[in-house]
Amino acid sequence: AQKITQTQPGMFVQEKEAVTLDCTYDTSDQSYGLFWYKQPSSGEMIFLIYQGSYDEQNATEGRYSLNFQKARKSANLVISASQLGDSAMYFCARPLSSYGKLTFGQGTILTVHP
Amino acid sequence: KAGVTQTPRYLIKTRGQQVTLSCSPISGHRSVSWYQQTPGQGLQFLFEYFSETQRNKGNFPGRFSGRQFSNSRSEMNVSTLELGDSALYLCASSFSGGSQETQYFGPGTRLLVL
């Protein structure tokens, strides 16, 4: 079964600094992309960014960007200029071949200090 | 466009009871997926519905069931509740459930079983 690994249970960053959250996957199927979601304490999962498997350039979305290294099976999320509102749990997720099913990593709790 | 809505937001039940949770997808989305989130197991896929048909199912006992209506709204039911069913239940919608489509999540239903 596909496994998604986020090795950092918690990360701390100073406001306005950049932070990188790690994510690796172990499936041999390279045809699927990868999603990142943010979950504030309220519980709602907020979509941040998606990297398609065949995209030649790393995805960017405002302050979010992905460092996608297909050969290493990693897709790390970079948040630039951190804000206090970025404090939340962050999940990476990858679809399987089956419809509508995402496999999630364990999550990383990010705390932004003023 | 209105986002995914879930009702109720909070629920307290006792062991042995049953519960029904509701999810209304984004207008035009026909795929609805359900996930259970617990501190111990993380996010786990329950099932996915498309055009009133269950296309995919996770590894949960038969006490967990669902259905989808012709307007794409979905319900999930848990019968004979157990303490371990206490969790945040999230539903997500996408246009057709394809692996490259973003799933948009609702705010979740927090279920507490006493």
Side-chain angles (χ1 to χ4, degrees):
Chain A
Q2 170 174 247
K3 189 176 179 185
I4 311 294
T5 302
Q6 295 180 251
T7 58
Q8 308 151 313
M11 288 286 285
F12 295 88
V13 66
Q14 206 72 27
E15 195 178 7
K16 299 181 186 177
E17 292 186 348
V19 63
T20 298
L21 307 182
D22 296 340
C23 175
T24 59
Y25 53 94
D26 69 356
T27 180
S28 58
D29 190 337
Q30 299 278 43
S31 61
Y32 298 106
L34 191 132
F35 297 85
W36 276 91
Y37 287 89
K38 170 186 177 182
Q39 187 178 42
S41 56
S42 60
E44 182 173 359
M45 297 283 280
I46 301 167
F47 166 70
L48 295 177
I49 194 167
Y50 169 71
Q51 178 79 45
S53 178
Y54 300 111
D55 292 344
E56 298 205 351
Q57 292 191 332
N58 286 333
T60 61
E61 193 69 51
R63 295 186 298 111
Y64 305 108
S65 61
L66 276 176
N67 181 5
F68 188 49
Q69 299 183 46
K70 203 168 177 178
R72 298 180 64 183
K73 297 183 183 179
S74 73
N76 300 333
L77 176 69
V78 180
I79 304 175
S80 63
S82 297
Q83 302 172 356
L84 296 179
D86 293 336
S87 293
M89 180 80 92
Y90 289 80
F91 291 95
C92 61
R94 200 160 182 264
L96 290 180
S97 57
S98 305
Y99 288 118
K101 178 177 181 178
L102 290 174
T103 301
F104 286 83
Q106 311 93 308
T108 296
I109 300 175
L110 175 66
T111 303
V112 180
H113 289 300
Chain B
K1 220 180 219 185
V4 179
T5 59
Q6 290 186 247
T7 57
R9 294 292 311 277
Y10 304 91
L11 210 47
I12 300 176
K13 292 285 187 179
T14 56
R15 277 180 298 174
Q17 287 187 309
Q18 75 165 19
V19 66
T20 299
L21 312 181
S22 180
C23 172
S24 292
I26 291 172
S27 178
H29 285 189
R30 295 169 64 193
S31 169
V32 174
S33 296
W34 287 89
Y35 296 85
Q36 180 196 64
Q37 185 177 22
T38 60
Q41 299 297 318
L43 278 148
Q44 294 185 288
F45 172 81
L46 281 156
F47 29 63
E48 186 259 5
Y49 285 87
F50 178 82
S51 290
E52 302 179 65
T53 300
Q54 185 184 90
R55 293 191 302 187
N56 201 358
K57 190 178 189 304
N59 189 26
F60 278 83
R63 300 185 297 107
F64 292 82
S65 63
R67 60 177 175 168
Q68 187 180 36
F69 301 94
S70 58
N71 61 358
S72 295
R73 189 177 71 86
S74 177
E75 289 182 347
M76 68 163 281
N77 183 276
V78 188
S79 62
T80 318
L81 284 166
E82 301 177 358
L83 295 180
D85 297 333
S86 294
L88 177 65
Y89 290 88
L90 293 161
C91 80
S93 77
S94 65
F95 182 70
S96 64
S99 62
Q100 297 186 56
E101 293 179 13
T102 299
Q103 291 187 25
Y104 294 93
F105 285 78
T109 295
R110 291 189 187 272
L111 172 64
L112 177 62
V113 182
L114 301 175

